[in-house]
Amino acid sequence: MNRPVDAMHEQDAQASAPAAEVVPPGSLQPLLGPFPLNALIAIGYCVLVAANLQLRDASGITPMWAPIGLALFVLLRFGNRALPGVLIGVIAGTALAQLPIPMALMHAAGQLLAPWAGARMLRHLISEPAHLLERTDGAFKLLAVAYAVAIISAAATTFGMALAHDLHAARWLDTGASIWLGDALGVVVSMLPLLAWTTDRSPVQSPRRLIEQVLVILTLLGMLAATFFGVALLAEPILQLYASLPLVIWIALRFPPRVGWTVFLIASLTALAGTAQGISLLNEHAMGVQIFVLHGLITLTAATALFIGAAMFEKQTARRALRERESHFRALTLLSADWHWELDADLRYHRLPDQLTGVHFGDTALDGCAPWEIAGEEALTLPWGLLRQTLERHDAFRDFLSRRRDGSRWRYLASSGEPVFDALGAFSGYRGVSRDITAEMQAREALREEEFRLRALVDALPELIVLQDKHLRWRLANRSLLDTRWLKKMAWLGATSEELAAHLPSMADVLKQDHQIAEAVALSCKPHREEQRLVMPDGEERVFEVSVIPLTDDDGQFNGIVSVRRDMTAQRDAERIQAEHVQGVQSLNDELERRVGARTAALEAAIRELEAFSYSVSHDLRAPLRALDGFSRLLVEDYGDLLDEQGREYLSRIRRNSQRMGELIDDLLELSRVSRAEVHRSLTNLSDIARDVVRELTAEAPDRYVHWVIPEGLWADTDSGLARVVFENLLRNAWKFTRLQAQPRIEIGQTELQGQAAYYVRDNGVGFDMAYVGRLFAPFQRLHNNREFDGSGIGLAIVQRVIRLHGGHVSAEGVVGQGATFSFSFGPVRPD
């Protein structure tokens, strides 16, 4: 019977609808409905009770057989649907016994409650009834439940006898123990054959085995019949009994379960009948002793056979599983293209297939040779010495590459291995696999060469070319595009155009537009063409013809895009000049409108040229500064020994001032960039920005301690990028001017400034004199000596520009030697 526990519970919950339940194999239910099934159970119960009564009438003692085993089995097998049959059988059996009413009620309650409780316990303890015979833990659970439920029935019967016959309290224990042993034995004797007949999975026996079984069974039954029906074959009856017990156990283990346990049942009934009739060779002993010995022998025999049989079944099951796994592993090994090898405890080859030596190593003898001792083998992943250290540490390794020369080409080998330890934990060597990856390495080399030729071809084209994958991430940009210096030092590989827009403000609109076009092409898989006007880094406006072409695989699935920009400026200029000549013949009114448009364009061009001029000036100033710094360094390095200390000091000052001039130019560019920045407001967490800046400062000087106070939940409606510029300058100033404090403290908080929600940065640094507060936010205005605190004086000017762009206010308060506080707001909050 192979029914899970949850199916048993489902039967209990759905006893009223048995037709909808799953019927276990071997069940009588496919042949009988609920009523005939319960009728058979009740009849069987009554037959067992009648047999008990017959034995009791003949012997005058309480028999060691109980129908409780049948009740426990049917409730375990059929669930609550068998409860009516058990109930009818208990009532009818009690009536047949003609017991007094108090004893009848208690006896019936015990006979009904004990098997019901036992069935419930077994359902929770096992997943299949077959496990009671096939697993050692199942056998233990069966015996434990049998003796446990017998306590319930014995207690109920004993209590009923006490009520009906005024049983003295001193005899309760002896009477209850006798009934308990009888009920427990009844459960064991009846349950085992019934389980065997309903759960036996043994194959069909051959005729030869059947003849052998019949002869052995007849021999056993003859010996038992002789013992328990008064025929003495040996001088001592106990020896005659013990001679048959090993035969019982051997039959239970040697034969199929349904045969072995049926023989056990017949043997038990024979012993029971002979003892109850008083004709057994053991009748020279007291009846109590006979009952106790008989109970012990039957129980010991059943337990021994049950546990040994379950252990043998588990062992056979484990062997079958092991054979299946070995067969599976052997099949996989034979089908695998990898070579298996082994190293001994001295890290030398002692098991290596001929295929590996023939394909990779040729005629080289490897047995007894360490990997690093193989002539001509070169290590690629690690040097041989490091691999040897790995093996001596008994560490596993993966994909270790080596190669050797095979004529005019290289042969490559990838090896992986792991240490092997014996049962005592001692290192016994390595076991691993190797794979010839020569073809793979050659394919990689060919692919690299193909990529090199393709890249050279793309770089030679004058068009600006970008290759993006199916996720619209940049994978290739040709030299013409990189020479435009749009990307500069940007890490563009693997980024989308939208992600690059966040780091290239001057190209943000173009990159975002390109990303939108790429998404549309990816969805439609259709090419897209348009013209774009772009302002180059040198300020020149150029016209490009943009072609976005989708790439598809052999199945027509989208696989990426190629964006090509062709410079059409000269052609468009020619078209523009031609259009200007045509417009010369228009009316004076059109001429006036054209001039107004030209003036407007000239004004816009002047603005762009002014921006380009500041950029160009900054770059033109860098050249002489680099020359000053470079030649000063050369003078110190090449002619330093010809100069005295004062001369070298002069050169050092020249270098410091030229470098400082370069820093001033960078600050001017930053100030100019911030002044032209566009404000894109959003809800921004200032606490996170401040903590990010603090992490950068701490990384620059990890040995320096500063007590930071940054509260949670500082939110503002501002541009997140510009807000970071503000905090970076203010926090860097506070970090710098608290350097001389013994216990530096920098605090960030929220306040109010001119009716607007504001924020402050407060430190306990050197502070400043409020008489000079008007100079703080002017460019290049410093209140402290450069020798004490370095800086260019641009940081606070940048902060003021950012705050003005937001429409906010900034102020400063300070006390010399006690610190400074900078308060700022980002303008009025938007209604949304």
Side-chain angles (χ1 to χ4, degrees):
M1 181 174 63
N2 303 323
R3 182 181 61 180
V5 174
D6 53 356
M8 299 180 185
H9 294 172
E10 184 179 356
Q11 284 183 340
D12 291 344
Q14 301 177 355
S16 60
E21 297 177 352
V22 178
V23 179
S27 175
L28 296 174
Q29 196 173 0
L31 303 177
L32 301 175
F35 179 77
L37 177 65
N38 283 283
L40 285 178
I41 294 172
I43 293 172
Y45 195 94
C46 292
V47 169
L48 293 178
V49 171
N52 281 340
L53 295 176
Q54 183 65 32
L55 292 175
R56 184 186 64 181
D57 293 339
S59 63
I61 64 170
T62 302
M64 294 178 63
W65 172 261
I68 188 173
L70 174 64
L72 176 58
F73 170 76
V74 296
L75 289 175
L76 174 65
R77 184 62 186 273
F78 302 107
N80 286 344
R81 69 167 61 88
L83 196 57
V86 175
L87 179 61
I88 295 172
V90 169
I91 295 174
T94 305
L96 288 175
Q98 298 180 356
L99 299 175
I101 293 179
M103 182 178 177
L105 293 177
M106 295 305 301
H107 176 74
Q111 291 292 307
L112 184 63
L113 181 59
W116 179 83
R120 298 286 293 183
M121 284 190 289
L122 288 177
R123 289 174 188 168
H124 286 84
L125 292 176
I126 61 173
S127 58
E128 294 184 13
H131 291 170
L132 296 174
L133 298 179
E134 296 173 352
R135 293 172 51 173
T136 53
D137 59 337
F140 175 79
K141 293 171 183 176
L142 174 60
L143 294 177
V145 170
Y147 281 87
V149 300
I151 295 175
I152 300 175
S153 61
T157 303
T158 303
F159 186 68
M161 293 178 64
L163 293 177
H165 302 291
D166 295 330
L167 185 65
H168 194 272
R171 297 187 56 194
W172 286 6
L173 182 59
D174 294 338
T175 303
S178 177
I179 298 174
W180 172 63
L181 293 176
D183 288 350
L185 182 60
V187 172
V188 173
V189 172
S190 58
M191 279 286 287
L192 292 177
L194 291 172
L195 286 172
W197 276 93
T198 55
T199 62
D200 189 7
R201 306 175 185 177
S202 303
V204 178
Q205 299 292 318
S206 63
R208 180 179 178 182
R209 292 293 303 275
L210 292 176
I211 296 174
E212 174 191 358
Q213 294 173 11
V214 170
L215 293 177
V216 173
I217 292 172
L218 292 177
T219 302
L220 170 66
L221 295 180
M223 293 180 62
L224 289 176
T227 301
F228 289 96
F229 285 90
V231 180
L233 300 177
L234 298 177
E236 180 61 40
I238 296 296
L239 294 179
Q240 184 172 323
L241 177 62
Y242 284 159
S244 61
L245 291 182
L247 193 58
V248 176
I249 297 176
W250 185 79
I251 291 175
L253 299 179
R254 176 68 175 171
F255 296 165
R258 64 177 62 186
V259 176
W261 290 114
T262 301
V263 173
F264 170 77
L265 174 62
I266 296 173
S268 300
L269 292 178
T270 302
L272 175 64
T275 303
Q277 295 294 332
I279 59 176
S280 169
L281 291 178
L282 305 177
N283 58 4
E284 62 183 22
H285 303 282
M287 183 57 65
V289 175
Q290 293 185 50
I291 293 175
F292 182 78
V293 171
L294 184 61
H295 175 273
L297 290 176
I298 295 177
T299 303
L300 180 61
T301 303
T304 304
L306 187 61
F307 279 104
I308 296 178
M312 292 179 63
F313 185 86
E314 290 180 345
K315 187 176 182 180
Q316 292 173 358
T317 303
R319 286 179 177 176
R320 286 195 299 269
L322 180 60
R323 285 195 297 268
E324 291 176 359
R325 287 195 296 267
E326 289 179 349
S327 176
H328 179 71
F329 176 75
R330 187 178 299 108
L332 292 180
T333 302
L334 294 176
L335 293 175
S336 175
D338 295 343
W339 299 308
H340 300 264
W341 49 262
E342 291 185 9
L343 300 179
D344 58 19
D346 296 327
L347 305 180
R348 297 182 179 278
Y349 287 112
H350 74 95
R351 185 174 297 175
L352 197 66
D354 295 336
Q355 298 91 335
L356 177 59
T357 56
V359 172
H360 186 78
F361 295 104
D363 298 332
T364 305
L366 300 183
D367 285 340
C369 185
W372 47 85
E373 296 175 354
I374 302 174
E377 191 73 8
E378 298 181 8
L380 299 180
T381 307
L382 293 172
W384 287 120
L386 294 180
L387 176 63
R388 183 173 183 176
Q389 294 177 9
T390 300
L391 298 182
E392 290 175 348
R393 291 195 306 267
H394 304 161
D395 293 338
F397 63 93
R398 295 289 182 272
D399 295 328
F400 176 80
L401 298 183
S402 61
R403 69 176 184 178
R404 67 184 295 108
R405 176 70 69 177
D406 182 12
S408 60
R409 66 169 184 168
W410 290 98
R411 299 198 68 89
Y412 294 87
L413 196 67
S415 302
S416 301
E418 60 181 15
V420 180
F421 301 92
D422 59 18
L424 300 178
F427 174 72
S428 59
Y430 267 83
R431 183 185 298 118
V433 295
S434 296
R435 179 166 49 94
D436 187 358
I437 60 170
T438 302
E440 181 180 346
M441 297 298 290
Q442 292 175 348
R444 291 181 182 178
E445 185 65 26
L447 180 61
R448 283 194 293 267
E449 293 179 359
E450 187 67 23
E451 289 179 352
F452 174 77
R453 289 194 292 267
L454 177 61
R455 183 57 187 260
L457 176 62
V458 174
D459 286 341
L461 297 176
E463 287 81 3
L464 311 182
I465 301 176
V466 174
L467 175 64
Q468 296 171 263
D469 58 19
K470 62 181 179 180
H471 302 295
L472 305 183
R473 298 189 177 277
W474 286 37
R475 294 304 175 190
L476 184 145
N478 71 335
R479 180 58 56 188
S480 300
L481 176 59
L482 298 178
D483 289 341
T484 62
R485 299 188 65 190
W486 287 347
L487 303 178
K488 297 181 181 179
K489 299 180 181 180
M490 283 294 302
W492 51 268
L493 184 62
T496 64
S497 300
E498 189 175 35
E499 293 172 351
L500 292 176
H503 302 282
L504 295 173
S506 60
M507 302 293 298
D509 294 339
V510 176
L511 290 171
K512 290 180 179 179
Q513 182 181 0
D514 288 351
H515 187 72
Q516 294 175 357
I517 295 173
E519 288 181 336
V521 171
L523 292 175
S524 63
C525 284
K526 295 181 180 179
H528 174 84
R529 291 179 174 83
E530 68 173 18
E531 282 192 0
Q532 290 183 353
R533 292 183 175 270
L534 303 180
V535 178
M536 305 300 288
D538 57 2
E540 181 182 2
E541 182 181 18
R542 307 193 70 81
V543 180
F544 291 93
E545 182 182 71
V546 181
S547 299
V548 182
I549 304 172
L551 302 177
T552 56
D553 55 18
D554 295 338
D555 297 329
Q557 299 295 324
F558 175 75
N559 202 26
I561 61 173
V562 174
S563 300
V564 181
R565 279 182 168 81
R566 179 177 298 173
D567 192 347
M568 303 293 293
T569 304
Q571 181 179 347
R572 295 296 180 263
D573 287 345
E575 295 175 355
R576 179 179 54 81
I577 293 173
Q578 183 179 4
E580 290 177 353
H581 285 293
V582 173
Q583 290 177 359
V585 298
Q586 292 180 352
S587 62
L588 294 177
N589 188 31
D590 293 338
E591 179 69 17
L592 179 61
E593 292 179 356
R594 187 187 64 79
R595 290 183 178 180
V596 171
R599 293 292 179 87
T600 303
L603 180 59
E604 294 175 352
I607 294 175
R608 287 195 300 271
E609 290 176 359
L610 182 60
E611 295 176 351
F613 174 76
S614 63
Y615 185 87
S616 177
V617 168
S618 67
H619 283 71
D620 292 339
L621 287 176
R622 291 181 186 274
L625 288 177
R626 285 195 297 269
L628 284 173
D629 182 60
F631 284 109
S632 300
R633 178 175 55 80
L634 291 176
L635 282 174
V636 173
E637 294 176 354
D638 298 340
Y639 302 97
D641 53 345
L642 301 179
L643 300 176
D644 56 7
E645 185 65 28
Q646 186 174 9
R648 287 193 293 269
E649 175 62 23
Y650 290 159
L651 288 176
S652 177
R653 290 184 179 181
I654 291 174
R655 290 196 66 193
R656 287 198 300 270
N657 282 278
S658 62
Q659 292 171 358
R660 175 169 171 75
M661 187 63 182
E663 294 173 357
L664 291 176
I665 292 174
D666 291 338
D667 292 340
L668 280 174
L669 287 176
E670 179 66 16
L671 180 62
S672 175
R673 184 188 66 80
V674 170
S675 300
R676 300 191 306 271
E678 296 183 2
V679 178
H680 301 282
R681 290 179 177 268
S682 64
L683 191 59
T684 304
N685 191 332
L686 302 182
S687 301
D688 290 346
I689 293 177
R691 278 190 288 270
D692 192 22
V693 174
V694 168
R695 280 192 292 270
E696 294 180 0
L697 295 175
T698 305
E700 294 176 5
D703 296 335
R704 182 180 170 190
Y705 172 76
V706 174
H707 179 61
W708 296 93
V709 180
I710 304 176
E712 294 287 346
L714 294 181
W715 294 85
D717 182 29
T718 179
D719 187 300
S720 59
L722 296 177
R724 180 181 175 86
V725 172
V726 171
F727 275 97
E728 187 168 356
N729 282 279
L730 292 180
L731 292 177
R732 191 170 290 276
N733 273 0
W735 172 271
K736 176 171 58 178
F737 289 114
T738 56
R739 178 168 51 82
L740 301 180
Q741 290 293 330
Q743 296 180 343
R745 172 187 170 90
I746 301 176
E747 178 184 356
I748 300 173
Q750 190 169 5
T751 184
E752 186 175 341
L753 184 64
Q754 297 187 14
Q756 297 178 354
Y759 311 89
Y760 66 84
V761 176
R762 180 179 297 129
D763 63 75
N764 61 345
V766 297
F768 62 88
D769 191 346
M770 287 296 293
Y772 304 102
V773 69
R775 297 168 50 187
L776 281 178
F777 297 100
F780 306 109
Q781 295 295 320
R782 293 177 49 80
L783 302 184
H784 300 87
N785 195 317
N786 279 339
R787 296 179 179 178
E788 295 179 348
F789 303 98
D790 57 350
S792 60
I794 291 294
L796 293 180
I798 292 176
V799 171
Q800 188 183 50
R801 296 285 176 89
V802 171
I803 296 303
R804 286 181 178 177
L805 286 174
H806 284 78
H809 306 279
V810 61
S811 65
E813 297 179 2
V815 179
V816 177
Q818 299 182 14
T821 301
F822 291 87
S823 303
F824 56 92
S825 65
F826 291 104
V829 179
R830 295 178 297 173
D832 56 348

